Amino acid sequence: AAKRAGRGAYQFATASMNEAALERLQLEASLRLAIETGALRLEYQPLVELSSGRMIGVEALCRWDHPERGPIPPGVFIPLAEDSGLIESLGRWVLLTATQQLQRWHEAGHAELMMAVNLSARQFQRGVVLEQVEEALVVSGVNPARLELELTESVLLHDGEAVMNTLRQLKALGVTLSIDDFGTGYSSFAYLRRFKFDKIKIDQSFVRDVIDDPDDAAIVRGIISLALSLGLHVLAEGVETEAIAQRLRTLKCTYAQGYHFARPLRPEALAERFLQAPPALS
Ligand code: C2E
Ligand code: MG
Ligand code: MG
Ligand code: MG
């Protein structure tokens, strides 16, 4: 009986694994279609200067509204895109779309606005990222100084000279480079020595409890003072309350992002709330 039960359990596991694999394949096929048919879209979340409350830029965040399943979070479809190689075409689309949107906002009179775009490690590994960024800059005509590229530790994990070279070439284009989710990796600090980034984004897991948890407070304070002494900009992610924003101001954090200021918004909603058109000339 034990053997039968064991075998049954094994068959069950196999069946459910197949189901999971099948489901994954189906989702991958719909994602491919979504990319090809232009069914993805971007939302934009304000990046705020803490001292003035001014919106200095936005981060582009990819959205996928699945025709049957509704919205699929990027935490699900980005890893899927990375594993399947679809991230190359997805990443290219994001860069092109975000820079063209930025150029339209610049032309509408908001010439200082920054656009932050997330890059994935896969885009670096296959060496397409430089080409894609150059293409987006040329096609959009956007000022490179207004484009910010966010990298996570996963990019830098594959340390190699190739990645360092790409980072140097990106920097030579005049774009801003930031480390996303800082503090969550194994060796976030080591990267600061290996490459001169422009900005650190403190991961929201440290920011969330900065008031109640003395350890998180110490970490956030440490990252901010480190950034400032290295001459880097520093942004706190996931700021959900005014009390946290206030604490960050006290700690001399330069920038913040989070639901307290605004959620990620569709471009029309963002423009309506934060980019009222300058008065017409006529
Ligand atoms: P991320 O780059 O760290 O982006 C910030 C995430 O925090 C976003 O989640 C944003 O909606 C969320 N967030 C912002 N403020 C708050 C807050 O106050 N509280 C909380 N709880 N969350 C907040 P989202 O949009 O679900 O994206 C998740 C991750 O997916 C991103 O993390 C990024 O790593 C990845 N991602 C999104 N779009 C792209 C993309 O176009 N390309 C690549 N490679 N990755 C992307
Ligand atoms: Mg990001
Ligand atoms: Mg982040
Ligand atoms: Mg993240």
Side-chain angles (χ1 to χ4, degrees), residues 268-281:
E268 310 76 40
L270 183 111
E272 193 179 317
R273 269 185 63 187
F274 296 99
L275 299 172
Q276 292 300 343
L281 289 174

Side-chain angles (χ1 to χ4, degrees), residues 5-115:
R7 189 160 168 209
Y10 172 75
Q11 282 174 336
F12 179 76
T14 309
S16 59
M17 268 189 301
N18 287 341
E19 218 171 279
L22 187 67
E23 154 125 16
R24 224 181 136 73
L25 276 177
Q26 281 169 344
L27 203 59
E28 188 185 312
S30 353
L31 180 58
R32 185 183 306 272
L33 191 69
I35 296 169
E36 281 166 4
T37 59
L40 299 179
R41 58 189 181 83
L42 294 180
E43 287 190 343
Y44 300 93
Q45 186 178 31
L47 310 173
V48 176
E49 183 179 59
L50 273 165
S51 59
S52 63
R54 222 165 38 95
M55 177 174 78
I56 54 111
V58 295
E59 176 175 3
L61 294 159
C62 195
R63 298 291 179 253
W64 179 21
D65 305 312
H66 191 282
E68 283 112 41
R69 302 180 192 204
I72 314 260
V76 172
F77 72 81
I78 294 290
L80 183 71
E82 285 172 340
D83 294 344
S84 59
L86 288 171
I87 194 69
E88 279 185 32
S89 48
L90 187 155
R92 174 170 181 260
W93 177 84
V94 171
L95 277 164
L96 284 166
T97 307
T99 50
Q100 287 173 79
Q101 178 61 72
L102 182 63
Q103 183 63 13
R104 284 197 293 277
W105 283 332
H106 284 174
E107 283 165 5
H110 308 280
E112 302 296 306
L113 201 69
M114 301 277 307
M115 174 69 71

Side-chain angles (χ1 to χ4, degrees), residues 71-204:
I72 314 260
V76 172
F77 72 81
I78 294 290
L80 183 71
E82 285 172 340
D83 294 344
S84 59
L86 288 171
I87 194 69
E88 279 185 32
S89 48
L90 187 155
R92 174 170 181 260
W93 177 84
V94 171
L95 277 164
L96 284 166
T97 307
T99 50
Q100 287 173 79
Q101 178 61 72
L102 182 63
Q103 183 63 13
R104 284 197 293 277
W105 283 332
H106 284 174
E107 283 165 5
H110 308 280
E112 302 296 306
L113 201 69
M114 301 277 307
M115 174 69 71
V117 173
N118 293 284
L119 295 183
S120 146
R122 266 293 286 253
Q123 287 169 279
F124 274 82
Q125 279 159 38
R126 297 240 312 151
V128 293
V129 72
L130 187 67
E131 236 172 79
Q132 290 186 346
V133 170
E134 282 175 331
E135 179 192 22
L137 290 171
V138 169
V139 170
S140 66
V142 96
N143 177 355
R146 299 289 176 265
L147 178 62
E148 176 174 333
L149 304 175
E150 298 191 0
L151 322 178
T152 56
E153 160 160 335
S154 58
V155 171
L156 304 149
L157 215 59
H158 313 269
D159 167 30
E161 258 320 287
V163 169
M164 289 299 144
N165 254 330
T166 307
L167 291 177
R168 281 190 284 268
Q169 285 171 298
L170 285 172
K171 188 99 182 208
L173 294 176
V175 302
T176 297
L177 297 177
S178 56
I179 308 188
D180 204 351
D181 304 342
F182 189 85
T184 54
Y186 292 103
S187 47
S188 303
F189 290 90
Y191 304 130
L192 297 176
R193 298 176 58 206
R194 267 185 266 155
F195 191 80
K196 180 77 186 163
F197 287 92
D198 302 289
K199 186 197 261 185
I200 290 174
K201 298 187 77 174
I202 308 174
D203 191 69
Q204 54 185 58

